[in-house]
Each structure stands twice: as structure tokens, then as C-alpha cells.
Amino acid sequence: EMSDRLNKPCYVFEKNDESRFLKEIRLEREVFKSVTEEQFILHYQPIVNQNQNRIVGFEALLRWDHPEFGMIPPNEFIPLLESTGLIVQVGYQTIKKACQQIKTWEQNGFNDIKMHVNLSVRQLFSEELVLQLENILAKEKINPKRLTIEITESMIMEDSDHFINMLDEIRKLGIEVSIDDFGTGYSALSYLTRLNVDSIKIDQSFVQQVGCGDKGDAVIKSIISLARHLDLNVIAEGVEEERHISFLLENECSEMQGFYFSKPLTEYEANQYLFTYHQKVSGNH
Ligand code: C2E
Ligand code: MG
Ligand code: MG
Ligand code: MG
């Protein structure tokens, strides 16, 4: 083929770089359209209590269902949503969908399932956030305790006074707050004495070091113990192996999330997971 021959030098040298670059440009151009065409969807990853043998909740994880590139992971497009300011609108849609899902599960008899939603720094700086949350709770009529928002340590460091106030406002609505990727924010722990939160999520990098050396083990044990002393609930992320589970249970961390239990699921798959898990557990009695 003529065109094949013409394309060849390009293919040999830098096709991957070029196509990645072109993809980035395309995404940047299409991101506005994607919002109006509602190409953003949520996947849900279960969070289990391995001691009580039950599903505590799900974390809602955003995906861009692109007509040509397929499912695009958040790390590739969240920065784009942030820089264009679209994150405020997409974030609103995300919280709304997540709350509607809580309600649907409730209608199916699963009425103690929590939903975790990630917030980005731009959303926390948005004047509208508290009002948006208030509106959604009122409209969907769900118990605010069922909703947890996740923020990262590095976000808090940017302007701690602002965040302390913001998080207090959010918690006044009854919504819970969790610190995501805990331990990776290079932060001084002093913020923990000023900030009111409900839980922390131990970053997967700590969990994956379990059993790889005494130092790693000591760090994760200390995080769990710190959480307990601060009266915070603790969830371990990135649980992939049996040995992670036994270590966590020995150290009294029973809430876990990770590929060992399930990858993030579509809405349909999450429903299946709920029903199957429920049947399995009630079958034990
Ligand atoms: P995150 O909140 O820390 O989410 C956990 C990420 O770890 C997810 O990647 C999940 O698929 C992955 N993960 C879960 N279990 C395992 C495991 O056992 N092993 C490994 N290696 N990975 C695991 P995902 O879905 O690509 O999300 C990446 C990040 O994107 C999230 O990190 C979160 O910071 C951000 N994000 C996702 N959804 C949203 C959203 O709606 N809004 C905002 N602002 N950020 C979001
Ligand atoms: Mg998260
Ligand atoms: Mg995390
Ligand atoms: Mg993360």
C-alpha cells in the first residue's frame, strides 16, 4: 500500500509520542462537548468490612466514555476538567448521580450502603459547593450520613483556613469527610488537630509494602494507631493479596478496598456484586 509506505518513517520514529500528543489535543477540544453529551459515567468500587463480612459502601470513580478512545481513566482528564473549570459542573453531576445511586440501592433493600465521592481542589474553592450539596440532598432525599466526600492531604495544604471552614460547613450538612491517599501529602501532621474529619484512607503504596520490610510495616501500623487515637475510621486502599488482609486484620483495620475484592464496576456489575455478596452472607446463617 502506498499510504503504508508513506506512513512508515513516522511509525518507526515516534508514532506513540505523536498519537499520545494528538490524543491530548483531541481530548482538550472535545471536553466541552463531552459534558453536554454526558459522556462522563461512574464506576463503583466496593469497600468491605472484612471483620463483619459486609459491604460498607462503594467509591464512585469517574470515567470518560469516549466514542472513539473508549473508557478513559480519570488521571488523563481530571487535569483538563480542572484547567477549564468544567470540574465544577462535572463534579455536580457526579455527586448527583452518586446520590441517585444511593437511592436506587435503598429502593432495592440495601439501605446501609455508603457512597464515597472524590472532590478536586477547584470544587473545594468553589463558592457553590455547599449550596450544591444542600440542593442535591434535598432533592434526592437521602440520609446525608450515607454520603462521604474524599479529599487529599495536598489539597488541605494549599489554604488550610479555607478548607477547615469549608469542611466544617459540609459536615454541618451531615455529610462525612475522608482524607484520601493518607500519608502521601508530605504534610505536617499538625493539620489533624485543627481539621474535623471522619475517616482516613491509607494510600495503596503503604498497603502494597506490607511484608516487604520492617520499616514499611511499622509505618502502616502507626497510621492505623494514629487514626484510632484520633477516633477516626480507617480504610485501607489497594488491597490486592491475602497477606495484606491478614496483616490489616491483625492490626485492627477491618475496612478495605482493592482489586482483591473487586475492580471498579459498572452500575450493572455493582448491583450484581451487591446481590451476590448479600446472598452469600445470608446463606451462612
Ligand atoms: P483514588 O480516589 O485514590 O481512587 C483509587 C484508585 O485506585 C482508582 O483509580 C482505583 O481504580 C485504583 N485502585 C483500586 N483498587 C486498587 C488496587 O487494589 N490496586 C491498584 N493498583 N489500584 C487500585 P482510578 O479510578 O483510575 O482513579 C484515580 C484517581 O482519580 C482517584 O484516586 C481520584 O483521585 C481521581 N478521581 C476519580 N474519580 C474522581 C471524581 O469524580 N472527581 C475527582 N475530582 N477525582 C476523581
Ligand atoms: Mg478516592
Ligand atoms: Mg486513594
Ligand atoms: Mg489516588
Side-chain angles (χ1 to χ4, degrees), residues 152 180-181 203-204 237:
T152 61
D180 200 0
D181 303 349
D203 189 65
Q204 55 183 51
E237 284 194 293

Side-chain angles (χ1 to χ4, degrees), residues 45 59 62-63 74 78 118 120 180-181 204 238 240 259 264:
Q45 188 179 34
E59 176 172 4
L62 197 58
R63 304 283 180 262
I78 300 254
N118 295 282
S120 76
D180 200 0
D181 303 349
Q204 55 183 51
E240 293 182 356
F259 294 166

Side-chain angles (χ1 to χ4, degrees), residues 13-284:
F13 291 118
E14 49 187 27
K15 185 182 184 265
N16 284 332
D17 288 348
E18 190 192 52
S19 59
R20 185 179 310 145
F21 179 68
L22 290 177
K23 185 178 170 188
E24 272 170 30
I25 305 253
R26 281 270 310 273
L27 292 184
E28 204 169 320
R29 236 189 318 131
E30 289 172 3
V31 71
F32 286 94
K33 200 175 80 183
S34 68
V35 175
T36 50
E37 291 184 3
E38 302 200 12
Q39 288 172 11
F40 290 103
I41 63 160
L42 288 177
H43 279 183
Y44 304 94
Q45 188 179 34
I47 303 169
V48 303
N49 184 318
Q50 191 64 359
N51 228 356
Q52 301 168 349
N53 239 322
R54 68 185 180 93
I55 300 172
V56 190
F58 286 84
E59 176 172 4
L61 294 159
L62 197 58
R63 304 283 180 262
W64 181 352
D65 191 3
H66 191 278
E68 195 177 317
F69 298 127
M71 217 55 90
I72 305 176
N75 294 334
E76 284 186 39
F77 65 81
I78 300 254
L80 213 56
L81 291 177
E82 290 247 339
S83 62
T84 51
L86 285 170
I87 191 72
V88 177
Q89 190 184 338
V90 175
Y92 178 77
Q93 286 171 6
T94 300
I95 301 164
K96 202 168 95 182
K97 270 186 215 154
C99 290
Q100 285 166 345
Q101 189 62 63
I102 296 175
K103 212 167 144 190
T104 306
W105 284 331
E106 198 172 88
Q107 284 158 356
N108 289 326
F110 301 104
N111 47 23
D112 56 356
I113 301 293
K114 289 192 176 189
M115 183 74 85
H116 285 239
V117 176
N118 295 282
L119 288 195
S120 76
V121 71
R122 183 107 177 214
Q123 281 174 282
L124 274 177
F125 268 115
S126 141
E127 301 280 321
E128 302 153 65
L129 180 67
V130 175
L131 206 63
Q132 286 183 342
L133 288 167
E134 222 167 3
N135 284 341
I136 293 170
L137 290 176
K139 194 152 174 228
E140 305 303 332
K141 296 192 181 63
I142 57 157
N143 180 349
K145 280 268 164 284
R146 309 289 270 304
L147 181 63
T148 299
I149 61 150
E150 296 189 3
I151 55 158
T152 61
E153 276 173 315
S154 44
M155 286 159 68
I156 302 158
M157 303 319 290
E158 294 210 14
D159 180 350
S160 46
D161 285 338
H162 174 82
F163 283 115
I164 289 165
N165 292 334
M166 197 59 148
L167 294 181
D168 282 343
E169 292 282 303
I170 291 171
R171 288 182 82 248
K172 263 188 228 153
L173 298 176
I175 296 168
E176 296 196 342
V177 175
S178 185
I179 301 177
D180 200 0
D181 303 349
F182 187 84
T184 61
Y186 329 102
S187 56
L189 287 174
S190 60
Y191 79 88
L192 284 173
T193 61
R194 298 199 296 140
L195 200 70
N196 299 312
V197 297
D198 302 278
S199 60
I200 61 166
K201 296 183 79 175
I202 305 175
D203 189 65
Q204 55 183 51
S205 59
F206 298 108
V207 176
Q208 273 143 30
Q209 273 174 44
V210 158
C212 302
D214 291 343
K215 287 186 181 172
D217 289 359
V219 171
I220 189 167
K221 279 184 195 177
S222 308
I223 295 177
I224 297 169
S225 151
L226 175 67
R228 183 148 334 104
H229 283 104
L230 291 169
D231 205 15
L232 300 175
N233 194 21
V234 52
I235 302 167
E237 284 194 293
V239 174
E240 293 182 356
E241 292 169 34
E242 205 90 56
R243 67 191 166 93
H244 299 155
I245 298 176
S246 48
F247 179 93
L248 290 165
L249 287 178
E250 270 164 35
N251 290 284
E252 288 170 66
C253 170
S254 50
E255 295 198 8
M256 310 177 192
Q257 177 182 353
F259 294 166
Y260 181 88
F261 305 102
S262 170
K263 66 177 180 26
L265 304 169
T266 63
E267 179 187 349
Y268 178 79
E269 292 168 331
N271 282 326
Q272 297 292 101
Y273 193 90
L274 266 176
F275 278 107
T276 313
Y277 203 99
H278 183 71
Q279 266 168 3
K280 195 180 80 189
V281 174
S282 45
N284 284 339

